[in-house]
Amino acid sequence: MAAWRKPGYCVPNQDTYPHQWLWDSCFHAVIWCQLGQDGVVADGLERAVTEVSSALSKQDPDGFVPHMIYWAEPEAGTDFWGRSGRSSITQPPMYGHAIAEVVRAGGAVTHDLVGRAAGGLANLLARPRTTAGLIPVFHPWETGCDDSARWDDFRSDSGHDGDGPGGRDGEPTVAAWRARKGDFVAALETGRQGQAVGSAEFSVGSVGFNALVAWNIRELVSTGSVFGPGPGDLLAANRRAELTSAADELSVAVSGRWTGDRWADDGPGPASRIRTLDAMAALLVDPRPEGFADLIDPEAFGSRFGPRGVDRREPSYDPDIYWRGPAWPQLGYLMMVAADRAKRADIAAEVADMLAAGAERSGLAEYWNPESGQGRGARPQSWTGLGLLAERYRT
Ligand code: GLC
């Protein structure tokens, strides 16, 4: 509640992240729904709708949804992004799921909101595809998994390798990545409103991102079916059919990236195959038993305060470094939901235990060491309230 800001969203953390972030706000909406249903926050459902609406309110005419909005300081990112008030890249379109959660909880959503969400998804579908048929991301940040080991192929010639603050030889550092990612912003090719439409330097078919696009389409479409055809239908039938078939195609493309023991991104080099938890979002659309087994295997992603952000068998696994191994609550939540939807209640319950334990032990940290539960990053972080949702899945 202390994180709530005008015109209706939560800052992820008031010091470290004092603006609005797209996928964070969608996860906040999921938490508001739960708080509303539990009777903890009387207007929880309304807040959920308000938060998703504000996250989609700076959409460009072509449907593009920026990943950040600078409500309080509209010019704070202007020099960096080349446009005012909002960023020029996007983030996973979790608004499909957030809206579906509102509808499932009995909340009311407007035609305008559902239309905006459909427009955002259609905008992503319109990006030119990679050779594997995936939607490319034009910046690592578009996946929400900023310093993932999966981007390491893009570091090799960067001249930023090695011994930055807190780093080790040959290991990436947060500072080194930050510089590199400024380069990637400069390399963006932009549309009329300054939104990313391509990149001269970074274009990757991220399995995790594509799985989330496909799944969020299915979630959004499911809200239409709640209302049924007719005037009350929130998503016109033809739009729904188009989106559904696009989601089906994307899911096939995601499955096509399964290599026998993991999903590989459509990227330029070996890092595309590093086993990271974000790629396991593929389980939402390609629920393979082998994938679920890795999720809880103590030698892979399973850990008391997990699931780990990187498979322990990877040489790059480090439980304390940003995006190189720590557990992240939003990914743990997605894994729990994936297992539940695949009717793997046993696995959903195990992941729920890990998530709840980590959220609590870390003091609601942004992310944490999956072995010890020790908090890392900002604290408290709003999305770590997702730990509350674990109760639904524990046995
Ligand atoms: C970090 C995370 C990103 C998140 C943002 C705000 O940049 O990597 O996923 O959206 O913080 O919490």
Side-chain angles (χ1 to χ4, degrees), residues 12 17 21 23-24 91 144-146 322-323 328 366 381 383:
Y17 302 111
W21 267 263
W23 80 330
D24 295 64
Q91 253 185 347
C145 307
D146 298 20
Y322 184 66
W323 282 113
W328 288 80
E366 179 185 2
Q381 182 84 349
W383 68 14

Side-chain angles (χ1 to χ4, degrees), residues 304-357:
R304 179 155 176 229
F305 303 99
R308 299 183 179 100
V310 175
D311 188 309
R312 185 182 171 170
R313 294 168 291 185
E314 294 292 346
S316 56
Y317 173 66
D318 187 319
D320 286 312
I321 297 187
Y322 184 66
W323 282 113
R324 314 286 299 183
W328 288 80
Q330 81 286 14
L331 295 183
Y333 168 76
L334 290 170
M335 299 304 134
M336 188 170 78
V337 173
D340 178 67
R341 298 284 173 94
K343 309 230 177 320
R344 298 298 306 268
D346 52 332
I347 292 179
E350 274 201 49
V351 178
D353 285 343
M354 298 186 218
L355 173 61

Side-chain angles (χ1 to χ4, degrees), residues 24-391:
D24 295 64
S25 274
C26 296
F27 288 113
H28 300 163
V30 171
I31 301 166
W32 284 127
C33 287
Q34 184 68 38
L35 290 169
Q37 279 180 300
D38 291 347
V40 178
V41 176
D43 61 347
L45 277 181
E46 289 79 13
R47 284 191 193 229
V49 175
T50 304
E51 181 139 9
V52 184
S53 304
S54 60
L56 294 180
S57 65
K58 299 286 180 188
Q59 188 168 34
D60 289 310
D62 66 351
F64 181 92
V65 183
H67 96 302
M68 283 181 72
I69 304 180
Y70 297 86
W71 293 105
E73 297 170 84
E75 304 310 329
T78 308
D79 288 347
F80 188 67
W81 298 112
R83 64 178 185 165
S84 148
R86 62 215 195 280
S87 66
S88 52
I89 59 168
T90 194
Q91 253 185 347
M94 290 307 306
Y95 37 83
H97 175 58
I99 291 172
E101 282 290 292
V102 169
V103 172
R104 283 192 284 263
V109 288
T110 61
H111 276 84
D112 179 61
L113 181 60
V114 177
R116 281 176 179 272
L121 291 160
N123 174 268
L124 292 171
L125 293 170
R127 285 188 176 184
R129 301 298 168 87
T130 71
T131 38
L134 297 173
I135 297 168
V137 288
F138 301 132
H139 195 291
W141 290 338
E142 291 206 302
T143 64
C145 307
D146 298 20
D147 291 14
S148 171
R150 287 218 164 190
W151 318 132
D152 283 1
D153 293 324
F154 289 90
R155 296 181 50 257
S156 48
D157 302 315
S158 69
H160 295 298
D161 292 67
D163 50 10
R168 304 162 203 178
D169 280 347
E171 285 266 298
T173 67
V174 172
W177 263 121
R178 192 168 298 139
R180 188 74 183 120
K181 283 184 293 190
D183 300 344
F184 291 145
V185 169
L188 289 173
E189 293 153 4
T190 50
R192 289 168 73 109
Q193 279 79 29
Q195 74 279 40
V197 294
S199 166
E201 282 196 33
F202 189 95
S203 180
V204 172
S206 153
V207 161
F209 183 88
N210 278 267
L212 291 177
V213 174
W215 186 65
N216 276 280
I217 290 175
R218 290 185 180 156
E219 284 286 274
L220 185 70
V221 165
S222 78
T223 64
S225 58
V226 167
F227 289 82
D233 191 354
L234 293 183
L235 207 56
N238 55 353
R239 196 88 194 270
R240 199 154 72 196
E242 264 170 42
L243 284 171
T244 303
S245 75
D248 292 347
E249 266 170 41
L250 269 191
S251 301
V252 170
V254 165
S255 306
R257 302 304 298 166
W258 178 257
T259 63
D261 67 349
R262 70 191 69 183
W263 288 275
D265 285 352
D266 193 3
S272 316
R273 300 167 53 88
I274 292 176
R275 290 164 290 194
T276 57
L277 191 61
D278 63 285
M280 299 285 277
L283 286 168
L284 287 161
V285 295
D286 185 21
R288 291 174 191 265
E290 305 95 304
F292 284 119
D294 278 352
L295 203 50
I296 55 164
D297 181 351
E299 297 305 317
F301 293 101
S303 183
R304 179 155 176 229
F305 303 99
R308 299 183 179 100
V310 175
D311 188 309
R312 185 182 171 170
R313 294 168 291 185
E314 294 292 346
S316 56
Y317 173 66
D318 187 319
D320 286 312
I321 297 187
Y322 184 66
W323 282 113
R324 314 286 299 183
W328 288 80
Q330 81 286 14
L331 295 183
Y333 168 76
L334 290 170
M335 299 304 134
M336 188 170 78
V337 173
D340 178 67
R341 298 284 173 94
K343 309 230 177 320
R344 298 298 306 268
D346 52 332
I347 292 179
E350 274 201 49
V351 178
D353 285 343
M354 298 186 218
L355 173 61
E360 193 187 335
R361 176 67 65 91
S362 71
L364 295 180
E366 179 185 2
Y367 55 97
W368 54 81
N369 180 311
E371 319 300 336
S372 67
Q374 195 170 15
R376 298 274 178 253
R379 217 172 324 170
Q381 182 84 349
S382 301
W383 68 14
T384 309
L386 287 168
L388 284 175
L389 277 289
E391 279 314 313

